[in-house]
RNA sequence: GCCCCCAUCGUCUAGUGGCCUAGGACACCACCCUUUCAAGGUGGCGGCACGGGUUCGAAUCCCGUUGGGGGUGCCA
């Protein structure tokens, strides 16, 4: 038996959808695990909506989540529009075999006839009229009586009564094949063995299965995975929801976190849900895929992201954050950024970030020429009875310190606090406000060590002067 | 309307007839730790939609109801 061939068939009509990413990941895991192939086919036949530039966007998005076009399991991308001849030929084959026929009824004709007969839908009215090709004529598939059983690897056998499926259009009156047909013909030509896609396609699967059979090929293994839904329990869509993978990337989500989270939607890893991809790839089984829709929960995604950020080494964290650190929204000039200082602070920054975009804001005061004063925090801190006195004494003591390191900075301030009967929590507040302009931030003494004696004292003296 | 799918804490889920007084994770709350804020630790809150069966025994099997979703195009 030849190796399995999977595929995803996105249309280039916008940014790559997280739901599409999840489906791609499921296919990818199986293709790699089983030594099979993952085919990317761009379904670009809707000329009104598709835009060529989105194709590269899809490839980039896939690469981001680890589905690399350089991997030997990857094949494509193919463009559906390159195969129009084959689609048309397949339709002709069906017409020649009497499995499809021409019909000249327009939507208005159909509506009128239904109105007259009190019926709905299209009841195969042109089946036996033996119409040939001609302007404004479509080709419809002749749906045979009986039942069609879709053997789905996730849902089991699903039975459809053919009588309820009307003779659907294969070729539009303008000569263009419809999605259903093109999709099947391409799958056949690309020797796809497993069609794993979202559940929204389940209802149309009997039509596709009939097409596979009519075209003389046994249908593939079907597998319909549950939909991703929003808080309203409707499938997430571009219109209503934040679905662009690229957007999450731009907001500072880690690819590994996104991948891991996506894999928990519709499937459960063995053991802890935070799992490295190789483990997931090895454990993933179609039989274990769930049946009910999953809510795409931003809060849970954020939790995964925080976990993955904390797992990064300092250097990895720096590299991951670089675009935000040196970008226009960093909050400080790029030329004032100092890698060494950032690296030293990294272990203290990581647990304070949900996304990579949070990083600059945690340490911006280290790279700013002057701290930005949060007036409310400042007022509150220096309203405390001994705050100003502590600041003054700290300036003197810090100026006299021999070794400038966080242990010494801490014990020195602790000693000052003791003379005022203050705990360290209270004692550090004025120093933090003076140096960072805020009342919250990363551990103070570590930050002061990194900031350096001169700059620390300069800021403390400035604050003292401002308070005078 | 018709067809199809689905149904365990707010959410993601474990659970495949007795191990379930239903387990975990996120969120939330409390406490601990503590140098602020986080992170971390401990604990708490909270669920088998409903009604019938089947069975010695049902979250687990069957039927129905209800609820939710998807499909039903000369969109993909």
């Amino acid at each position: 038996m030849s190796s399995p061939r999977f595929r995803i068939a996105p249309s280039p009509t916008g940014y790559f959808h997280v739901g599409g990413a999840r489906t791609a990941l499921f296919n990818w895991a199986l293709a790699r695990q089983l030594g099979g192939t993952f085919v990317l086919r761009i379904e670009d036949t809707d000329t009104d909506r598709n835009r060529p530039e989105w194709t590269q966007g899809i490839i980039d998005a896939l690469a981001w989540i680890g589905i690399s076009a350089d991997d030997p399991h990857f094949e494509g991308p193919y463009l559906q529009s390159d195969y129009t001849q084959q689609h048309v030929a397949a339709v002709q084959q069906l017409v020649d075999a009497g499995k499809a026929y021409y019909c000249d009824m327009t939507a208005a004709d159909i509506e009128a006839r239904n109105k007259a007969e009190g019926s709905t839908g299209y009841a195969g009215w042109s089946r036996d009229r033996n119409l040939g090709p001609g302007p404004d004529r479509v080709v419809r598939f002749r749906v045979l009586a009986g039942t069609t059983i879709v053997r789905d690897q996730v849902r089991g056998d699903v039975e459809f009564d053919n009588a309820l499926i009307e003779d659907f259009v294969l070729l539009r009156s303008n000569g263009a094949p419809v999605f259903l047909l093109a999709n099947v013909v391409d799958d056949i030509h690309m020797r796809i063995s497993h069609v794993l896609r979202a559940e929204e396609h389940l209802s149309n699967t009997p039509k596709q299965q009939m097409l596979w059979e009519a075209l003389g090929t046994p249908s593939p293994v079907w597998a319909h995975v549950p939909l991703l839904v929003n808080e309203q329990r409707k499938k997430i869509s571009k219109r209503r929801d934040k679905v662009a993978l690229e957007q999450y990337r731009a907001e500072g989500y880690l690819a590994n976190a996104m991948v891991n989270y996506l894999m928990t939607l519709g499937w459960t890893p063995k053991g802890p849900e935070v799992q490295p991809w190789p483990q997931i790839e090895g454990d993933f089984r179609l039989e274990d895929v769930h049946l009910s829709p999953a809510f795409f929960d931003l809060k849970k995604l954020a939790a995964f992201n925080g976990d993955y950020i904390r797992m990064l080494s300092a250097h990895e964290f720096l590299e991951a954050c670089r675009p935000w650190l040196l970008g226009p929204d960093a909050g400080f000039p790029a030329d004032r950024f100092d890698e060494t200082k950032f690296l030293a602070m990294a272990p203290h920054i990581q647990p304070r970030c949900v996304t990579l975009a949070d990083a600059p804001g945690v340490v911006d005061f280290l790279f700013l020429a002057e701290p930005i004063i949060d007036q409310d925090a400042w007022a509150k801190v220096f309203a405390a009875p001994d705050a100003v006195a502590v600041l003054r004494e700290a300036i003197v003591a810090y100026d006299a310190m021999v070794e400038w390191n966080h242990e010494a900075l801490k014990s020195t301030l602790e000693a000052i606090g003791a003379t005022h009967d203050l705990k360290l929590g209270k004692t550090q507040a004025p120093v933090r406000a003076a140096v960072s302009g805020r009342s919250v931030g990363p551990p103070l003494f570590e930050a002061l060590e990194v900031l350096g004696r001169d700059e620390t004292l300069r800021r403390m003296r400035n604050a003292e002067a401002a308070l005078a």
Side-chain angles (χ1 to χ4, degrees):
Chain A
M1 178 177 137
S2 53
S3 63
R5 291 173 62 81
F6 297 83
R7 53 76 155 174
I8 62 162
S11 41
T13 54
Y15 289 108
F16 197 55
H17 195 287
V18 288
R22 200 269 314 249
T23 303
L25 253 8
F26 280 10
N27 276 287
W28 184 240
L30 252 17
R32 292 198 20 121
Q33 179 194 113
L34 304 174
T37 303
F38 173 98
V39 175
L40 170 62
R41 181 175 69 236
I42 306 293
E43 304 217 322
D44 57 347
T45 51
D46 183 352
T47 48
D48 288 343
R49 293 198 304 167
N50 86 72
R51 304 266 299 284
E53 59 267 36
W54 294 128
T55 298
Q56 188 58 45
I58 290 170
I59 292 168
D60 293 344
L62 288 173
W64 184 61
I65 56 174
I67 301 177
S68 164
D70 297 330
D71 188 288
H73 298 273
F74 189 102
E75 190 178 302
Y78 297 107
L79 295 182
Q80 185 159 70
S81 56
D82 289 341
Y83 299 88
T84 308
Q85 298 313 314
Q86 296 190 24
H87 306 151
V88 173
V91 172
Q92 189 57 51
Q93 180 191 332
L94 292 171
V95 170
D96 291 345
K99 293 173 177 173
Y101 58 89
Y102 282 91
C103 173
D104 60 0
M105 292 179 73
T106 64
D109 295 337
I110 292 169
E111 198 184 333
R113 178 139 179 189
N114 275 321
K115 201 165 183 180
E117 300 184 3
S119 55
T120 55
Y122 177 83
W125 291 305
S126 298
R127 275 190 171 199
D128 303 311
R129 292 170 61 207
N130 288 313
L131 257 27
D136 298 323
R137 290 183 180 179
V138 299
V139 173
R140 288 179 178 272
F141 184 75
R142 186 189 299 271
V143 175
L144 271 15
T147 59
T148 298
I149 296 172
V150 172
R151 315 210 66 171
D152 190 287
Q153 290 294 292
V154 171
R155 281 153 211 285
D157 292 356
V158 184
E159 208 173 305
F160 296 86
D161 181 352
N162 294 3
L164 270 9
I165 300 171
E166 62 187 51
D167 288 357
F168 50 97
V169 170
L170 299 178
L171 203 64
R172 300 186 181 97
S173 54
N174 67 2
V178 303
F179 151 77
L180 216 60
L181 186 272
N183 187 265
V184 168
V185 171
D186 287 343
D187 281 344
I188 290 173
H189 284 134
M190 293 171 190
R191 305 183 338 274
I192 300 305
S193 62
H194 291 66
V195 173
L196 189 170
R197 68 233 300 193
E199 201 212 307
E200 56 190 314
H201 296 287
L202 182 58
S203 292
N204 283 323
T205 304
K207 294 179 188 170
Q208 298 202 139
Q209 185 162 303
M210 288 177 205
L211 246 18
W212 276 78
E213 286 161 7
L215 257 8
T217 314
S219 48
V221 172
W222 304 109
H224 289 90
V225 305
L227 249 22
L228 257 32
V229 299
N230 61 20
E231 46 277 90
Q232 280 82 240
R233 302 253 111 205
K234 299 206 185 292
K235 70 172 176 176
I236 49 174
S237 76
K238 223 179 333 186
R239 286 192 65 87
R240 315 181 268 255
D241 311 296
K242 192 168 101 179
V243 299
L245 203 56
E246 291 86 342
Q247 189 180 350
Y248 288 97
R249 180 185 190 176
E251 288 177 2
Y253 286 87
L254 255 16
N256 287 347
M258 177 60 83
V259 165
N260 195 157
Y261 176 57
L262 248 18
M263 289 302 290
T264 68
L265 262 20
W267 179 74
T268 309
K270 302 183 195 312
E273 55 186 3
V274 174
Q275 293 270 322
W277 172 259
Q279 190 71 41
I280 289 175
E281 183 183 288
D283 289 344
F284 185 79
R285 297 284 182 279
L286 223 38
E287 311 83 89
D288 297 332
V289 171
H290 309 147
L291 302 174
S292 33
F295 172 47
F296 185 76
D297 186 352
L298 273 328
K299 287 226 178 99
K300 187 101 181 200
L301 206 216
F304 269 87
N305 209 50
D307 279 342
Y308 274 88
I309 285 178
R310 272 169 250 129
M311 285 191 271
L312 258 24
S313 70
H315 276 93
E316 288 168 336
F317 183 57
L318 165 65
E319 292 313 321
C321 288
R322 207 178 276 283
W324 289 273
L325 259 8
L326 301 178
D329 298 325
F332 48 81
D335 59 9
R336 288 190 60 89
F337 177 66
D338 183 321
E339 283 190 21
T340 309
K341 290 179 179 174
F342 184 83
L343 246 17
M345 288 301 290
H348 305 298
I349 305 169
Q350 286 168 263
R352 291 170 175 76
C353 291
V354 168
T355 67
L356 299 172
D358 294 335
V362 178
V363 283
D364 55 355
F365 67 95
L366 295 176
F367 306 118
L368 245 13
E370 296 297 338
I372 295 166
I373 309 297
D374 175 336
Q375 295 300 340
D376 291 345
W378 178 277
K380 198 171 177 186
V381 166
F382 289 108
D386 295 332
V388 178
V390 165
L391 180 63
R392 290 200 174 110
E393 290 167 40
I395 291 169
V396 174
Y398 278 1
D399 195 25
M401 272 176 52
V402 181
E403 292 286 334
W404 186 264
N405 59 54
H406 68 271
E407 292 95 339
L409 286 159
K410 181 184 177 186
S411 57
T412 299
L413 200 65
E414 248 168 349
I416 293 169
T419 68
H420 290 269
D421 203 24
L422 291 175
K423 293 194 171 175
L424 192 49
K426 292 282 184 196
T427 317
Q428 57 97 44
V431 179
R432 180 185 294 280
V435 172
S436 76
R438 293 192 277 247
S439 58
V440 298
L444 181 63
F445 308 111
E446 288 77 356
L448 298 186
E449 180 181 324
V450 166
L451 229 208
R453 182 197 302 262
D454 293 348
E455 180 62 10
T456 298
L457 285 170
R458 189 185 71 77
R459 291 186 184 188
M460 288 170 74
R461 287 185 174 120
N462 280 351
E464 181 192 24
L467 288 158

